[in-house]
Amino acid sequence: TTLFRSNPDTLSKLTACEKEKKTSEEEAYLNPEIAAAKKDEGNKFFKEDKFPQAVECYTESIKRNPKEHTTFSNRAAAYLKLGAHNEALADCEKCLAISPNFVKAIARKGHAYFWTKQYNKALQAYDDGLKLEANNAECIEGKQKTIYKIQEMSQGEGDEDAARRAMSDPEIAGIMQDSYMQLVLSEMQKNPARINEYMKDKGIADKINKLIAAGIIRVGNESQAQQGAGRR
């Protein structure tokens, strides 16, 4: 029986060759003119509420010109209409990696966070957009809707799903793991009125507001502060 041993150097060269071939094929496929035409076609489908077809056209446009940031933002808008919020968020990030100050993508990023109940991140996205464009209607409306939802959540029974999702956010998890904030939250549970005292400290107030926005803390109609995560 003849045994064939793989040669690491040969395999490495083969992998590099395949990668180079793929890159060459992708570069040969680039065509800004066709990309623009497919983007226009996608826009037409979008206006006709034909969102799957719009996504298809935007995808082809991106293959033809992956450096055009607006196409990623447009595809994100179509994904939002289809309820594909994670895909929309990914496209917003790709758009912003090319053009960090593109407010339409920042607003759509906020929308994606809103519909996935990540209200603290949605609020941050809308604020980021408004810093760049103070009168942006999408960001203004999105922020108002988010604030309303946060208030509704904090004063009612809350949203356990939103609270659980928030705990996967490293920033929120970091606040919850902070030993002093654990003391603050414990004191607030024992005596809800103490929230007024803690809110005088800007650093603590910022953290409390983030926890409220994330659905971790709820402030009832009788000013009773409660922790949302894990409560039944």
Side-chain angles (χ1 to χ4, degrees):
T1 305
T2 303
L3 295 176
F4 293 94
R5 293 182 180 180
S6 60
N7 187 320
D9 185 54
T10 301
L11 290 174
S12 178
K13 288 180 179 178
L14 180 61
T15 301
C17 184
E18 289 174 346
K19 186 177 180 181
E20 185 178 341
K21 181 184 176 185
K22 184 180 178 183
T23 301
S24 297
E25 289 174 349
E26 288 175 350
E27 289 177 350
Y29 200 69
L30 298 178
N31 189 311
E33 288 77 20
I34 295 177
K38 295 303 291 185
K39 180 186 172 186
D40 288 342
E41 188 179 348
N43 292 343
K44 181 175 179 291
F45 279 129
F46 188 94
K47 290 176 182 176
E48 295 171 353
D49 293 341
K50 297 177 180 178
F51 305 117
Q53 294 93 324
V55 167
E56 186 177 343
C57 288
Y58 292 141
T59 300
E60 179 63 19
S61 178
I62 288 168
K63 289 179 181 177
R64 294 286 187 173
N65 184 8
K67 294 182 180 179
E68 178 52 56
H69 64 282
T70 59
T71 315
F72 284 107
S73 179
N74 286 9
R75 190 170 69 173
Y79 275 138
L80 284 171
K81 291 291 187 179
L82 292 168
H85 303 121
N86 291 331
E87 289 80 358
L89 184 58
D91 268 357
C92 289
E93 296 290 6
K94 289 173 185 175
C95 172
L96 295 169
I98 301 169
S99 181
N101 294 334
F102 191 61
V103 178
K104 280 187 178 181
I106 295 173
R108 287 163 184 166
K109 182 179 177 180
H111 301 340
Y113 280 137
F114 179 88
W115 291 113
T116 52
K117 299 183 178 182
Q118 298 180 76
Y119 303 121
N120 56 315
K121 290 185 177 181
L123 199 59
Q124 183 62 60
Y126 294 133
D127 280 338
D128 288 344
L130 291 170
K131 286 175 186 175
L132 294 167
E133 194 176 305
N135 296 319
N136 184 274
E138 271 197 275
C139 287
I140 291 171
E141 182 181 349
K143 182 175 180 178
Q144 289 173 342
K145 282 174 59 179
T146 304
I147 290 173
Y148 176 80
K149 192 67 182 179
I150 290 169
Q151 290 174 339
E152 180 185 71
M153 188 170 59
S154 69
Q155 293 176 359
E157 286 301 310
D159 190 320
E160 295 295 336
D161 183 47
R164 281 192 297 271
R165 186 186 291 270
M167 286 303 294
S168 65
D169 180 347
E171 183 182 21
I172 297 299
I175 294 173
M176 293 297 291
Q177 290 165 9
D178 181 275
S179 57
Y180 184 68
M181 281 304 298
Q182 289 176 357
L183 176 63
V184 168
L185 295 174
S186 176
E187 288 298 316
M188 284 169 53
Q189 280 191 301
K190 293 175 186 174
N191 183 4
R194 291 206 66 182
I195 190 172
N196 298 320
E197 177 187 336
Y198 287 124
M199 292 300 276
K200 293 176 183 177
D201 183 307
K202 187 180 184 303
I204 296 175
D206 287 344
K207 291 178 180 179
I208 289 174
N209 283 328
K210 285 178 182 178
L211 294 179
I212 291 173
I216 302 296
I217 294 178
R218 295 196 290 274
V219 183
N221 292 328
E222 297 178 0
S223 299
Q224 293 185 337
Q226 301 170 329
Q227 283 182 241
R231 182 176 173 273
R232 293 290 180 270

